[in-house]
């Protein structure tokens, strides 16, 4: 069975009650009143992104990989140098990443997987894209994969590409998952300077006390 690629270590959280083992992890996951907020600082990429959920559970996958109301989501940050983006900017970088990611999965399964960009009715935030990979029926029948599709939300963040990926299983609604990714996209806040997790945590605590 194909396993998801993992990032660095375990989650580091302040309120969320999951303590990371890697002191150098570039991210912190904070509990909010209705889910979790990820603070990420890496190179020139500084951002926060929110995941709304009633129930949030950690997984055994490294990095920021969570079960949100029973649905798997993984947040990673990719250096454009990994996929030879060169001087590409904006959505051109995201399209190059899609090609890179798609080619990776093609090599894993030994066949060319259908992939396409999803164009929502309402425009996404600038330099943001949602796209999908569709898993062929024969791979699902063989048990190599259990998902019908993998959805990807990508966004340019400083000198990195932020990637939120999630598999859609048989019987789950693709439209609902796309709507959720749109909600995540709208929550992204990019900063030109590092975002201090302790300051964000203090703001969250003040809101919870109001």
């Amino acid at each position: 069975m194909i396993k998801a690629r993992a990032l660095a270590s375990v989650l580091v959280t302040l309120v969320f009650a999951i303590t990371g083992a890697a002191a150098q992890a570039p991210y912190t996951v904070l509990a909010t009143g209705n889910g979790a907020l990820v603070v990420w600082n890496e190179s020139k990429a500084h951002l926060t992104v929110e995941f709304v959920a009633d129930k949030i559970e950690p997984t055994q996958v490294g990095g920021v990989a969570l079960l949100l109301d029973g649905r798997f989501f993984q947040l990673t940050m990719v250096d454009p140098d990994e996929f030879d983006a060169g001087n590409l900017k904006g959505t051109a970088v995201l399209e190059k990443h899609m090609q890179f990611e798609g080619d990776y999965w093609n090599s894993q399964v030994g066949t060319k997987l259908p992939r396409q960009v999803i164009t929502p009715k309402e425009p996404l935030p600038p330099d943001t894209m949602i796209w999908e990979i569709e898993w062929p029926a024969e791979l699902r029948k063989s048990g190599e994969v259990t998902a019908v599709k993998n959805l990807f939300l990508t966004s340019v963040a400083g000198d990195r590409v932020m990637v939120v990926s999630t598999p859609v299983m048989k019987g789950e609604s693709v439209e609902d998952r796309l709507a959720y990714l749109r909600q995540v996209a709208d929550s992204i806040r990019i900063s030109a300077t590092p975002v201090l997790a302790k300051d964000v945590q203090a703001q969250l605590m003040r809101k919870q006390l109001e």
Side-chain angles (χ1 to χ4, degrees):
M1 182 176 292
I2 298 172
K3 295 183 179 179
R5 285 183 291 173
L7 274 188
S9 243
V10 188
L11 302 184
V12 179
T13 69
L14 299 178
V15 185
F16 193 57
I18 305 174
T19 303
Q24 301 303 314
Y27 48 80
T28 302
V29 182
L30 303 174
T32 67
N34 59 350
L37 186 73
V38 179
V39 180
W40 199 300
N41 293 287
E42 178 181 339
S43 187
K44 296 180 181 179
H46 311 294
L47 62 86
T48 63
V49 57
E50 185 175 12
F51 295 90
V52 175
D54 293 325
K55 184 178 182 181
I56 304 175
E57 303 169 86
T59 71
Q60 295 182 345
V61 178
V64 181
L66 301 169
L67 287 176
L68 306 175
D69 294 329
R71 302 166 301 176
F72 180 84
F73 288 82
Q74 185 174 27
L75 170 61
T76 59
M77 203 71 67
V78 182
D79 186 339
D81 287 344
E82 292 185 28
F83 52 93
D84 299 323
N87 294 321
L88 295 177
K89 303 292 183 183
T91 54
V93 176
L94 303 181
E95 291 169 356
K96 182 72 173 179
H97 171 263
M98 178 178 66
Q99 178 184 345
F100 168 77
E101 185 80 21
D103 289 347
Y104 168 82
W105 288 112
N106 290 346
S107 69
Q108 292 297 297
V109 300
T111 188
K112 189 173 182 179
L113 300 169
R115 63 178 184 251
Q116 67 172 338
V117 176
I118 305 298
T119 304
K121 294 180 180 179
E122 296 295 327
L124 289 166
D127 298 336
T128 302
M129 188 168 76
I130 295 176
W131 61 281
E132 68 176 22
I133 285 177
E134 185 173 349
W135 297 102
E138 56 267 26
L139 289 178
R140 289 186 274 120
K141 288 179 180 178
S142 69
E144 289 189 75
V145 294
T146 55
V148 176
K149 294 184 177 185
N150 268 47
L151 301 180
F152 299 85
L153 164 67
T154 58
S155 182
V156 176
D159 59 353
R160 295 290 188 267
V161 172
M162 186 208 75
V163 183
V164 177
S165 58
T166 179
V168 181
M169 314 305 285
K170 184 178 180 180
E172 295 182 334
S173 169
V174 175
E175 292 303 318
D176 287 350
R177 196 65 56 85
L178 287 172
Y180 186 87
L181 286 179
R182 174 57 195 260
Q183 184 180 29
V184 174
D186 288 338
S187 78
I188 299 169
R189 298 292 181 269
I190 306 292
S191 174
T193 57
V195 182
L196 300 181
K198 64 179 183 179
D199 291 345
V200 178
Q201 182 193 21
Q203 293 173 5
L204 292 173
M205 293 182 68
R206 284 197 295 270
K207 288 182 179 179
Q208 291 173 359
L209 292 173
E210 290 177 354

